[in-house]
Amino acid sequence: MAARFSELVIDSRDPEALAAWWAEVLGYRVLGRDEDGAVEIGPEAGFGGAAPTLVFAPVSDPSPGKPRLHLDLSATDRDQDAELQRLLGLGATPADVGQTGEESWHVLADPEGNPFCLLRRRLDPL
């Protein structure tokens, strides 16, 4: 028997705004809101499906320093260049985490500065 990766919790200064941004990027929808202000987004199938959900938890000041994890994204219905332009149009910004420029992926940051990568490989949508 094994465990399943079901959700990722991300500290956020503005959970509503960041959840809405990531929902647009991933094609997710809001699944729920907690009394403490956390917002959960996920695929149409909801929690427990093939894809994990994301929970944006409110914090007044996210931990400083280099994050210990980040999301890797792959386009599903367009090539990497077109997806890069879409993400930049949504408000992502290029991020420098020490890459050489020879990588096959792009490092970007979401509106709160959390880094994520856009990989070259396309995946089938869920």
Side-chain angles (χ1 to χ4, degrees):
M1 181 140 328
R4 277 187 59 201
F5 174 42
S6 59
E7 63 187 26
L8 176 66
V9 179
I10 301 168
D11 289 348
S12 173
R13 289 182 296 274
D14 186 347
E16 287 287 341
L18 201 56
W21 192 85
W22 277 105
E24 180 69 24
V25 167
L26 298 172
Y28 277 15
R29 66 180 179 88
V30 172
L31 299 174
R33 292 173 173 86
D34 289 345
E35 292 177 14
D36 67 355
V39 180
E40 182 175 18
I41 64 170
E44 194 61 40
F47 178 83
T53 63
L54 301 177
V55 177
F56 297 89
V59 296
S60 58
D61 191 21
S63 302
K66 185 179 185 303
R68 296 184 67 184
L69 58 93
H70 66 269
L71 300 178
D72 284 348
L73 306 182
S74 295
T76 60
D77 61 352
R78 59 188 62 105
D79 66 20
Q80 184 188 43
D81 290 337
E83 182 64 3
L84 175 63
Q85 292 310 308
R86 185 181 83 88
L87 295 171
L88 292 171
L90 289 172
T93 55
D96 182 357
V97 295
Q99 62 269 39
T100 66
E102 300 298 317
E103 293 82 7
S104 62
W105 61 88
H106 295 278
V107 182
L108 303 166
D110 71 17
E112 288 197 7
N114 301 303
F116 65 96
C117 294
L118 173 61
L119 306 180
R120 181 178 312 247
R121 177 182 287 175
R122 267 179 71 174
L123 295 178
D124 291 331
L126 291 175

